[in-house]
Amino acid sequence: MSAGPREVIPYTAMKFLGGPWTAETRAGTFARFFEAHGGLDRAAFLERIRCPCLVIGAEADPATWDQGIVVRLDRAGSASDVVVVGRGAQADVLLNCPTISKSHARFARSQDGWSVTDLGSATGTTVEGKRLENTQTAPLTAPRPRIELGPDVAATFLLPEQLHAFVEEARARRAAGPQGPARPRNAAGWPTWSLLQEPGPGSDTDHVLPVQRPAIGAAPPRFEPTNKVRKNWRAQAREIARDPRRLAFVTTLVVIAVVAALVYVRPLAVMLFAEHYPEWFSR
């Protein structure tokens, strides 16, 4: 990572949202998505949702809705034929997970439909169990293709029509009543509630997990945020260089130390050593 100030994302909709799903929302829990779209007929649903989405950690079973998330594949609220997913600020869709590369995969639409291309990611991209080679492209022709971005994020790619059918299934499951607890598909991987959050100020997503903020009404995941890698002095120096306030604080301390040395150290040395070592101060 470069030693400079952290880039500021020009929009806020990718951050974790616990409130209602609105027209400007780009990502949030499936529970909030269902509240906003579960009562729409097919025509109204397709009028509101015009881009494909990734569904992560949510199934038709309502027991998974508070932990699962829906992510729109677009560019800052506008539909696009090319969307890059990664954890870097240059990506169109940001997912905060240390096993995802800054520019991990590219989703693109052509005359033959949608496809996904691995962008040379460190942990790889898998489509329907088949791992893509570096820069390899795979068509997303299956009804609900399963895509794995690295080892910790498993998503289902859904076109607007497929997402409407998924919501209809979810509505039918809710009407049928409780079916017993269900475990989200990616519960063993990176927690879904952290994918939509930016890392804390001055933290490095390669090392530090974000602060836990689960969905409203959801039970906290059994996950303890810890520092996964012990930082050395170089990592600490990079963090200080990326945070303007910390950098200004350290610079101020250095200036104060230099001024104090110039003002007080020489008179103190003269007082202590001039009598016994006058040659030190004769120059």
Side-chain angles (χ1 to χ4, degrees):
M1 294 186 176
S2 60
R6 290 181 66 245
E7 296 186 59
V8 178
I9 308 304
Y11 50 88
T12 59
M14 283 304 300
K15 295 181 181 179
F16 181 86
L17 294 178
W21 188 292
T22 66
E24 291 74 27
T25 304
R26 298 186 64 210
T29 65
F30 184 81
R32 295 300 188 183
F33 183 87
F34 184 86
E35 289 176 2
H37 304 89
L40 301 179
D41 58 24
R42 183 177 182 276
F45 184 94
L46 297 181
E47 177 66 23
R48 185 174 298 183
I49 304 298
R50 300 185 179 184
C51 63
C53 296
L54 293 180
V55 177
I56 305 173
E59 301 175 2
D61 191 336
T64 67
W65 292 2
D66 277 332
Q67 299 180 53
I69 60 175
V70 179
V71 181
R72 290 169 49 180
L73 290 177
D74 60 9
R75 287 186 173 182
S78 61
S80 176
D81 291 340
V82 179
V83 179
V84 175
V85 177
R87 64 174 175 85
Q90 69 275 18
D92 301 310
V93 173
L94 279 73
L95 296 178
N96 177 32
C97 179
T99 56
I100 292 181
S101 298
K102 292 181 178 179
S103 295
H104 193 100
R106 179 177 63 243
F107 292 82
R109 180 172 59 180
S110 64
Q111 295 180 350
D112 299 327
W114 283 87
S115 62
V116 61
T117 302
D118 183 81
L119 298 178
S121 62
T123 54
T125 302
T126 304
V127 179
E128 292 295 315
K130 181 179 179 181
R131 184 183 175 95
L132 303 182
E133 299 298 331
N134 188 14
T135 68
Q136 183 181 1
T137 300
L140 301 175
T141 55
R144 295 179 181 179
R146 189 75 170 168
I147 301 172
E148 297 179 9
L149 304 174
D152 294 320
V153 178
T156 302
F157 176 88
L158 297 177
L159 295 172
E161 297 84 355
Q162 298 168 338
L163 183 57
H164 176 259
F166 183 82
V167 171
E168 289 294 305
E169 291 180 17
R171 181 163 58 180
R173 285 291 299 272
R174 188 178 69 169
Q179 302 293 323
R183 183 188 181 100
R185 290 184 181 179
N186 67 332
W190 190 252
T192 54
W193 48 263
S194 70
L195 290 174
L196 305 184
Q197 301 177 29
E198 292 184 359
S203 68
D204 185 343
T205 54
D206 287 332
H207 307 304
V208 183
L209 299 182
V211 177
Q212 177 177 322
R213 292 196 297 264
I216 296 176
R222 296 179 179 179
F223 191 85
E224 183 67 25
T226 57
N227 191 333
K228 300 178 70 175
V229 178
R230 185 178 181 180
K231 298 176 186 175
N232 54 28
W233 66 270
R234 291 183 180 178
Q236 294 175 351
R238 286 197 298 267
E239 286 190 3
I240 293 175
R242 285 198 299 268
D243 191 333
R245 285 187 290 187
R246 294 177 65 180
L247 182 60
F249 177 74
V250 172
T251 303
T252 302
L253 290 181
V254 172
V255 171
I256 292 175
V258 171
V259 172
L262 294 176
V263 173
Y264 298 106
V265 172
R266 180 175 175 79
L268 181 62
V270 171
M271 181 178 64
L272 295 176
F273 304 109
E275 181 178 352
H276 301 285
Y277 305 98
E279 66 275 8
W280 289 5
F281 307 96
S282 60
R283 302 175 187 177

